[in-house]
Amino acid sequence: MIEQTLLLIKPDAFKRRLVGKIITQIEQEGFNIAEISLKSLTQEEAEALYEVHRGKDFFEPLVSFIREAPVIALLLERKGAIGHLRKIIGKTNPDEAAPQTIRALYGTSIRRNVVHAAESREAFEKEVRIFFPDFKP
Ligand code: CMP
């Protein structure tokens, strides 16, 4: 079944001009780009995006990092999109990510790990509205 998911290309990738390489890899994996948005997050939007991590020691530096430069959000479509995107971005920590995954290729630390992908249908529905306020499922 064709499913939708959300990919965020983070400020570290934007500043290092890795956007094109990352989108090429996404297209080669069979995803269609349904929407794309370049957005500088407000403090409130950044906190809402990472709300589940509020209270953890990395929350404040994470919110500050995601506001360092714009984020590029892609609304993607593919069969099994949520699971497949998680697989090809690799584990959160680039040192543990499988070879050739986006984080293994370009990530430099657990915080500066170049991309974020929605981890579930519920997370997708919440996150997509931060970047595409008119989104209708
Ligand atoms: P992301 O997929 O965007 O979801 C939450 C982010 O928090 C995660 O990627 C990492 O960038 C960051 N993160 C998770 N654990 C840690 C940690 N221990 N230290 C710093 N950042 C972390």
Side-chain angles (χ1 to χ4, degrees), residues 69-129:
V71 170
I72 294 169
L74 294 116
L75 179 60
L76 299 175
E77 296 176 341
R78 186 192 187 277
K79 193 172 164 218
I82 294 175
H84 193 68
L85 186 62
R86 299 282 297 178
K87 187 172 161 211
I88 69 157
I89 71 169
K91 288 193 180 168
T92 307
N93 185 343
D95 292 340
E96 295 170 6
Q100 302 308 315
T101 58
I102 294 172
R103 284 167 167 166
L105 287 169
Y106 307 119
T108 53
S109 73
I110 196 164
R111 179 171 308 124
R112 294 179 178 274
N113 62 357
V114 293
V115 286
H116 166 86
E119 72 172 36
S120 63
R121 178 82 205 167
E122 295 67 40
F124 163 72
E125 292 200 353
K126 187 195 140 201
E127 294 168 6
V128 73
R129 290 189 169 81

Side-chain angles (χ1 to χ4, degrees), residues 30-41:
F31 288 92
N32 287 332
I33 301 171
E35 298 270 3
I36 188 163
S37 165
L38 183 141
K39 183 173 170 68
S40 299
L41 292 175

Side-chain angles (χ1 to χ4, degrees), residues 7 64 81 119 134:
L7 176 74
S64 161
E119 72 172 36
D134 299 332

